[in-house]
């Protein structure tokens, strides 16, 4: 007898993946340039030249046995030292290499962190709309997922709803900013209020409530501050990834950072090591660890996404669509023109516009548009959006 839960997860692919596969099929039927695929968050700009140079240099100069061999389970000490120094320099938060655990990207960082802290009966709060895999990761770790919707006017946190959702079983809240799918960045004011509320609730229930900062889009912010959560709230664990900042999603590299301000920080880090071990997530890819060590602080040219955001956001709002103004990431969250976002996406398909309905993000009536494409693809799609809105007028 197989695990029914795993069978179910493996049989049904995510809505995003389904649309992505449909796009491939459609391209082969009618041609690449006729399909407008806004489904998946795959970076469209190349990794910086320094990444390619580092790979070439490491492959030609470093002893291949060491280069491709196992590092420590938690990651190479030299690389973790560089990351800790970067965190200190960039955010002014104390960080040591013994608080960094190298991972295969944010997905692994989140899974490990959740498994490190969850006990039966625990609840994890997510702020909707949210990255759909949070449900899979949290439930596999044994937690009950508790969904709190953000305010519709600006997609910042609805504190009234959050405060009534936190209870004695709340173990953690996952915060993702810049956000997938809205592109919204949580403001300093929001983060300060969140820290105050969590501190108050910790006191009320006499327990630790973790803030899990899911940070794959940290560097994809367009002229706004992205507050560093450990600087605001002591019990923050950072789940970082280089997938988007360095355009390396297929290479699977990131880290977990357990700051010393976290209650029983050394024990939490030890539990992270235990969770990594039990999940088989030890020794993240060695070559990529060394590449990161050589490219700390670098980012892909995110001005390309900012330009896309400007063109797309302005064009869609001029046409009459209602779109949340994104300050980061590479997603637009647009109100569907009918209550059922799935029906709206089906209509959009007639114009070869492939959009993701918001239901799987825990929020109804919207679509996610991933604009990590080139500018020409975006401008070519605009007449199709124009035709779609006309259908509703
Ligand atoms: N968290 C969010 C909000 C994401 O959007 C993604 C990927 O798109 C991930 C986590 C997983 O990132 P990674 O590729 O680093 O595993």
């Amino acid at each position: 007898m197989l695990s029914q839960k795993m069978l179910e997860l493996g049989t049904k692919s995510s809505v995003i993946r389904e649309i992505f596969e449909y796009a491939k099929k459609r391209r082969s039927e009618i041609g690449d340039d006729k399909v407008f695929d806004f489904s998946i968050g795959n970076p469209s700009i190349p990794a910086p030249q320094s990444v390619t140079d580092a790979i070439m240099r490491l492959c030609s100069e470093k002893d291949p046995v060491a280069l491709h061999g196992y590092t420590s389970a938690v990651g190479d000490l030299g690389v973790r030292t560089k990351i800790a120094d970067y965190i200190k320099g960039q955010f002014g938060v104390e960080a040591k290499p013994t608080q960094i655990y190298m991972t295969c990207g944010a997905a692994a960082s989140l899974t490990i962190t959740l498994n490190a802290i969850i006990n039966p009966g625990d609840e994890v709060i997510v702020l909707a709309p949210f990255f759909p895999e949070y449900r899979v990761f949290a439930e596999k770790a044994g937690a009950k997922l508790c969904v709190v919707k953000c305010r519709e006017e600006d997609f910042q946190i609805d504190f009234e709803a959050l405060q009534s959702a936190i209870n004695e079983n709340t173990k953690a809240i996952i915060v993702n900013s810049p956000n997938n799918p809205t592109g919204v960045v949580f403001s300093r004011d929001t983060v300060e209020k969140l820290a105050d509320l969590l501190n108050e609730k910790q006191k009320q229930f006499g327990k630790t409530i973790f803030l899990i900062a899911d940070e794959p889009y940290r560097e994809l912010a367009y002229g706004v501050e992205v507050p560093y959560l450990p600087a605001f709230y002591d019990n923050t664990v950072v789940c970082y990834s280089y997938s988007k900042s360095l355009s390396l999603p297929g290479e699977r590299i990131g880290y977990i950072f357990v700051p010393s301000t976290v209650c029983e920080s050394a024990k939490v880090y030890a539990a992270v090591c235990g969770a990594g071990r039990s999940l088989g997530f030890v020794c993240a890819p060695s070559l990529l660890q060394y590449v990161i060590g050589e490219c700390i602080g670098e980012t892909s040219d995110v001005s390309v996404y900012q330009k896309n955001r400007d063109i797309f956001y302005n064009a869609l709002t001029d046409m009459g669509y209602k779109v949340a103004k994104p300050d980061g990431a590479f997603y637009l969250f647009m109100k569907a023109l009918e209550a059922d976002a799935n029906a709206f996406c089906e209509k959009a398909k007639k114009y070869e516009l492939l959009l993701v309905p918001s239901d799987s993000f825990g929020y109804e009536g919207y679509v996610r548009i991933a604009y990590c494409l080139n500018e020409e693809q975006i401008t070519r799609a605009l007449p199709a959006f124009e035709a779609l809105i006309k259908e509703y007028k």
Side-chain angles (χ1 to χ4, degrees):
M1 175 77 162
L2 299 172
S3 154
Q4 288 311 298
K5 183 77 196 157
M6 293 304 121
L7 184 59
E8 193 188 310
L9 279 175
T11 312
K12 268 200 295 181
S13 61
S14 80
V15 178
I16 299 170
R17 289 269 161 199
E18 264 173 31
I19 301 170
F20 182 59
E21 292 306 321
Y22 172 82
K24 275 200 240 168
K25 180 175 143 278
R26 225 31 214 142
R27 275 199 208 98
S28 70
E29 287 165 0
I30 61 171
D32 271 1
D33 58 330
K34 300 206 175 52
V35 181
F36 307 115
D37 177 15
F38 296 104
S39 64
I40 206 159
N42 218 352
S44 55
I45 46 182
Q49 184 59 36
S50 55
V51 168
T52 313
D53 293 345
I55 293 172
M56 305 296 271
R57 198 168 48 248
L58 285 162
C59 288
S60 60
E61 290 173 11
K62 201 171 161 88
D63 167 23
V65 175
L67 179 62
H68 302 298
Y70 290 121
T71 63
S72 302
V74 297
D76 176 74
L77 177 61
V79 175
R80 286 182 291 122
T81 304
K82 286 183 182 171
I83 292 174
D85 289 346
Y86 176 76
I87 291 172
K88 259 187 284 179
Q90 189 72 8
F91 307 114
V93 167
E94 272 313 305
K96 299 193 195 92
T98 48
Q99 296 164 339
I100 306 283
Y101 187 98
M102 300 304 295
T103 65
C104 294
S109 301
L110 288 162
T111 315
I112 293 171
T113 302
L114 288 164
N115 276 275
I117 63 173
I118 296 300
N119 284 306
D122 285 345
E123 292 183 16
V124 171
I125 294 179
V126 291
L127 303 170
F130 62 92
F131 180 53
E133 295 304 275
Y134 290 163
R135 180 179 293 285
V136 179
F137 300 158
E139 288 180 354
K140 179 60 191 150
K144 183 176 155 227
L145 201 76
C146 172
V147 179
V148 174
K149 285 193 172 173
C150 283
R151 303 193 304 217
E152 193 171 11
E153 66 266 30
D154 57 3
F155 291 100
Q156 298 283 326
I157 297 174
D158 178 341
F159 281 102
E160 227 173 275
L162 180 58
Q163 99 103 29
S164 52
I166 300 176
N167 63 58
E168 63 279 9
N169 297 322
T170 304
K171 184 48 102 35
I173 169 165
I174 304 178
V175 168
N176 169 227
S177 168
N179 184 266
N180 174 8
T182 62
V184 164
V185 174
F186 287 144
S187 66
R188 177 173 274 258
D189 180 51
T190 294
V191 170
E192 282 171 352
K193 280 199 189 121
L194 176 63
D196 288 348
L197 175 63
L198 293 178
N199 280 321
E200 182 195 312
K201 291 290 178 183
Q202 287 193 133
K203 257 201 209 129
Q204 182 185 342
F205 296 117
K207 63 178 288 196
T208 297
I209 300 175
F210 293 96
L211 174 53
I212 300 177
D214 179 25
E215 300 243 298
Y217 301 97
R218 159 158 292 282
E219 285 76 21
L220 278 63
Y222 313 130
V224 294
E225 178 199 21
V226 183
Y228 193 60
L229 299 181
F232 292 81
Y233 182 67
D234 287 352
N235 286 317
T236 302
V237 176
V238 177
C239 290
Y240 188 79
S241 163
Y242 295 93
S243 292
K244 320 282 172 167
S245 62
L246 285 176
S247 303
L248 293 173
E251 302 298 351
R252 318 303 304 136
I253 193 76
Y255 64 80
I256 298 165
F257 167 42
V258 183
S260 52
T261 52
V262 169
C263 181
E264 300 196 283
S265 163
K267 277 195 184 164
V268 174
Y269 184 77
V272 161
C273 297
R277 180 179 170 194
S278 75
L279 294 163
F281 275 139
V282 288
C283 178
S286 310
L287 171 62
L288 264 294
Q289 289 191 48
Y290 298 125
V291 169
I292 294 306
E294 307 249 319
C295 300
I296 295 274
E298 307 259 347
T299 51
S300 301
D301 178 10
V302 300
S303 68
V304 175
Y305 299 135
Q306 181 167 3
K307 194 162 175 221
N308 284 355
R309 188 272 316 251
D310 291 342
I311 294 170
F312 218 177
Y313 175 79
N314 292 338
L316 291 174
T317 47
D318 284 350
M319 283 178 211
Y321 286 102
K322 187 169 172 276
V323 187
K325 174 96 196 265
D327 283 320
F330 37 49
Y331 306 106
L332 290 170
F333 204 54
M334 187 176 89
K335 199 155 177 66
L337 298 174
E338 57 187 296
D340 180 352
N342 289 285
F344 177 66
C345 288
E346 280 308 308
K347 283 208 183 106
K349 266 188 185 169
K350 278 201 302 192
Y351 303 93
E352 306 300 342
L353 287 175
L354 306 182
L355 317 174
V356 180
S358 61
D359 301 56
S360 58
F361 298 99
Y363 215 95
E364 302 77 34
Y366 280 77
V367 292
R368 188 190 78 170
I369 304 175
Y371 59 82
C372 36
L373 297 170
N374 66 46
E375 190 184 322
E376 190 261 340
Q377 287 168 304
I378 291 172
T379 43
R380 237 174 347 93
L382 295 178
F385 280 99
E386 191 83 69
L388 178 62
I389 202 169
K390 274 204 188 113
E391 209 180 308
Y392 286 89
K393 277 181 177 161

